Amino acid sequence: MAPELEMANVKAVVSTVASVAATAMLVRTLANDFIPKEFRSYIFDSFHDIFRRFSSQFTILIHEFQGPSPNLVFEAVEVYLGTIVNSSTKSIRLGKTENDKNLVVTMDKDEEIIDVFENVKVTWRMECRRIESGSQNDEIRDMIAALSSELRCYELSFHKKHKEMVLKTYLPYIIERSKAAKEESRAIKLYSNIRNWGSDGMNLEHPMTFDTLAMDEEIKHALIDDLASFVKGKDYYNRIGKAWKRGYLLYGRPGTGKSSLIAAMANHLNYDIYDLDLTEVRSNSNLRSLLLGMSSRSILVIEDIDCSIKLENREKEDEKENKHNRVTLSGILNFLDGIWSCCGEERIIVVTTNHIDKLDAALLRPGRMDMHIHMSYCKLSAFKQLGFNYLRIQEHELFDQIGQLLEAVEVTPAEVAGELLKSKNPNISLQNLIEFLQNKIAENKMKVEMDLTLQNEKPEEEPKDTTNPESTLDSSVYLTAQRRS
């Protein structure tokens, strides 16, 4: 085709489009000027009904409010669409509250997002309409006006042959996806029973994760696998008829990383933490009330359970010994796996102690404490993680020597971390650590030698006459009794 002819065709098309647009604007102006509002609405609605009757598209409207209450489906769609913003979107809204870990993305008004689900293309559009007086009853209008001057609505369009799939599969999928997205973006909260849990809690800002946690690698991976199995185990727990909960006992010396492990678990699962101080619990009934006040998907922590209160054996618990109505071992056990423990789901219970031998065997059995984790002294694998955290090194010529020293002495990860903090220079820091470990070994050796010396210097006691019943008395008492006789 000749260039002149092609240019003429383009000009003709542009002229036609401009003419149609001008005509449409003229008709719209005339309609607005000469046709009453009520008749305009009737005419436009009629044209809309005719168009919809012959259209293959089906549309679902999801308004922001369901009567006077927020529409939960609208909230779910809002969260979901924020996770699938694509190239079809020209603008978005960003926001963040103190309860959000990251920026929150939402769809802007009059924008469009195209989604594909099970090979079906759907189109989302956000519409905003100004709230006009007289358009709703006063209660709804005032409630909405307090939040926004606009009434928002999501418009979902797709081919009408997919109506059943969208209603029964796609929308339920959106609701589940939005729940997961909310949990991922939500800031982790820390609650304390000193304030009876409180209403808001505090944001947990602890940075510890399993990637940075210094502990035995084999135990760490076993714990991560166990947590993954627990999170996916709702159907399993329902099948076996048990509450959906898991108990972990962390035991070991102070400084071995028990609190850091709890923070890593919370960050890994995105669970809130409820820190239970048993010394602040007045009674067993108060303990039950605290349990009912916990949310699902949370971690209950009872630290240093052997030190917080005196838990007698159940055989010793009677009304006289518990006259002050304090919390008892039976109350703790019922709290952990009694009938009240079923009020809530997806909960983890973590109990810590420095002395596992002081705990009643009933507290340690599976079903209450399902996994016992020994937080041991620092060995080479844990040290390498500390070396990477503090010095950003994964290998060094001094690592072998440090590993040998760690096998010969008992030091906690906290002690090793304290030495690594003294210098950012890897050579200086590691050399200081070697010196610290050597001094620790020398101190332990000197202590053993002193104990042996004192034991050898201690005079041997004369054997007591077991044939005389009075020989069991202290020697001074026995001699006095002899003189009196």
Side-chain angles (χ1 to χ4, degrees):
M1 181 181 294
E4 295 81 3
L5 183 58
E6 185 176 355
M7 181 61 69
N9 290 338
V10 171
K11 288 181 179 180
V13 171
V14 172
S15 177
T16 303
V17 171
S19 177
V20 171
T23 304
M25 291 179 64
L26 178 62
V27 171
R28 183 177 180 180
T29 302
L30 292 173
N32 289 336
D33 291 341
F34 297 104
I35 301 177
K37 181 179 179 181
E38 294 77 9
F39 288 102
R40 289 204 310 268
S41 300
Y42 174 78
I43 293 171
F44 292 149
D45 289 344
S46 298
F47 275 115
H48 182 70
D49 290 339
I50 294 171
F51 174 78
R52 188 172 59 181
R53 188 170 300 174
F54 290 97
S55 174
S56 62
Q57 287 291 99
F58 188 87
T59 302
I60 295 176
L61 301 179
I62 304 173
H63 292 279
E64 188 171 4
F65 293 93
Q66 184 75 12
S69 303
N71 186 349
L72 298 182
V73 179
F74 180 93
E75 294 178 359
V77 170
E78 186 172 47
V79 173
Y80 172 74
L81 293 180
T83 66
I84 63 165
V85 170
N86 52 40
S87 58
S88 64
T89 308
K90 295 184 177 64
S91 66
I92 58 174
R93 291 183 180 183
L94 286 179
K96 189 177 185 298
T97 69
E98 63 177 12
N99 293 326
D100 298 318
K101 286 194 296 188
N102 305 309
L103 291 174
V104 177
V105 178
T106 54
M107 191 176 179
D108 199 5
K109 64 179 180 179
D110 299 326
E111 273 299 327
E112 193 174 87
I113 291 180
I114 297 173
D115 191 20
V116 177
F117 180 78
E118 295 185 357
N119 297 321
V120 174
K121 179 182 174 181
V122 299
T123 302
W124 288 96
R125 185 176 177 82
M126 160 72 82
E127 287 191 356
C128 294
R129 297 179 181 176
R130 284 207 158 276
I131 301 173
E132 299 178 4
S133 58
S135 60
Q136 303 164 64
N137 67 55
D138 292 339
E139 179 184 354
I140 298 176
R141 187 177 66 252
D142 293 343
M143 182 269 299
I144 297 176
L147 299 174
S148 172
S149 61
E150 296 177 324
L151 184 61
R152 298 184 298 165
C153 174
Y154 283 114
E155 184 182 275
L156 172 61
S157 301
F158 50 90
H159 196 286
K160 58 186 179 183
K161 68 181 179 181
H162 302 303
K163 176 182 175 182
E164 185 174 357
M165 185 280 294
V166 169
L167 291 174
K168 294 185 178 180
T169 307
Y170 181 53
L171 290 176
Y173 164 78
I174 286 176
I175 293 173
E176 290 302 315
R177 275 289 304 274
S178 69
K179 288 180 182 178
K182 280 183 179 179
E183 286 299 319
E184 291 175 4
S185 63
R186 182 181 62 87
I188 299 172
K189 293 290 186 178
L190 174 62
Y191 299 91
S192 171
N193 66 300
I194 295 177
R195 298 179 55 203
N196 204 31
W197 298 146
S199 56
D200 299 326
M202 298 176 61
N203 286 353
L204 180 69
E205 304 292 347
H206 203 299
M208 184 60 69
T209 66
F210 279 120
D211 290 335
T212 57
L213 181 66
M215 67 180 294
D216 183 273
E217 287 297 317
E218 186 176 345
I219 297 176
K220 183 194 296 188
H221 290 304
L223 174 58
I224 292 173
D225 291 343
D226 193 76
L227 291 172
S229 176
F230 167 76
V231 170
K232 299 174 183 177
K234 181 175 183 178
D235 292 338
Y236 170 76
Y237 282 92
N238 286 338
R239 188 171 72 249
I240 64 176
K242 288 186 176 292
W244 189 10
K245 64 180 184 60
R246 190 79 170 157
Y248 297 92
L249 175 71
L250 313 183
Y251 64 99
R253 276 191 57 188
T256 51
K258 295 187 288 293
S259 297
S260 295
L261 176 55
I262 294 170
M265 292 171 67
N267 286 325
H268 180 71
L269 299 171
N270 212 62
Y271 283 11
D272 291 332
I273 293 179
Y274 288 80
D275 183 27
L276 178 63
D277 184 352
L278 288 176
T279 61
E280 295 293 325
V281 182
R282 297 185 302 274
S283 63
N284 291 335
S285 60
N286 182 217
L287 194 62
R288 288 194 294 271
S289 298
L290 290 171
L291 178 66
L292 294 175
M294 289 177 55
S295 65
S296 297
R297 295 178 56 83
S298 59
I299 300 176
L300 173 69
V301 177
I302 308 176
E303 291 197 273
D304 299 324
I305 193 171
D306 56 301
C307 303
S308 53
I309 60 173
K310 185 178 181 181
L311 297 176
E312 298 286 357
N313 293 334
R314 284 174 294 175
E315 291 77 6
K316 297 182 180 180
E317 292 176 3
D318 55 30
E319 294 182 0
K320 292 182 180 180
E321 289 188 343
N322 196 30
K323 59 184 178 181
H324 298 296
N325 197 29
R326 302 293 294 180
V327 64
T328 63
L329 177 60
S330 292
I332 292 286
L333 300 181
N334 289 329
F335 177 81
L336 295 179
D337 70 347
I339 190 67
W340 290 98
S341 68
C342 299
C343 300
E345 60 180 16
E346 203 171 344
R347 285 177 178 164
I348 287 176
I349 301 164
V350 178
V351 172
T352 75
T353 180
N354 298 332
H355 307 284
I356 190 173
D357 54 301
K358 293 184 179 180
L359 301 184
D360 190 285
L363 183 66
L364 305 179
R365 71 166 178 79
R368 289 169 182 152
M369 296 295 106
D370 303 289
M371 191 173 184
H372 298 186
I373 301 173
H374 181 215
M375 306 300 292
S376 61
Y377 294 103
C378 188
K379 301 303 177 186
L380 183 59
S381 63
F383 161 73
K384 285 186 175 181
Q385 182 62 61
L386 290 172
F388 180 76
N389 293 346
Y390 287 85
L391 305 175
R392 281 293 179 257
I393 57 174
Q394 293 180 316
E395 291 295 336
H396 196 278
E397 59 184 9
L398 296 177
F399 274 14
D400 289 341
Q401 184 180 355
I402 292 174
Q404 294 172 8
L405 292 172
L406 289 174
E407 291 295 330
V409 68
E410 294 179 341
V411 292
T412 65
E415 291 176 295
V416 173
E419 293 300 314
L420 296 179
L421 271 173
K422 294 180 179 179
S423 175
K424 294 182 180 179
N425 185 307
N427 294 325
I428 296 175
S429 184
L430 296 181
Q431 198 60 55
N432 288 341
L433 177 60
I434 289 174
E435 185 177 341
F436 168 78
L437 295 175
Q438 289 173 338
N439 290 338
K440 193 89 171 176
I441 293 172
E443 290 173 6
N444 291 345
K445 184 177 180 181
M446 186 180 298
K447 183 179 179 181
V448 171
E449 291 175 351
M450 288 182 63
D451 290 342
L452 288 174
T453 301
L454 291 174
Q455 187 175 353
N456 292 333
E457 291 178 354
K458 187 177 180 180
E460 294 185 4
E461 294 182 0
E462 294 183 3
K464 295 179 180 179
D465 183 6
T466 56
T467 60
N468 190 332
E470 292 181 334
S471 64
T472 57
L473 300 173
D474 180 79
S475 59
S476 60
V477 177
Y478 176 65
L479 290 174
T480 303
Q482 231 182 4
R483 290 195 188 97
R484 288 179 179 173
S485 63

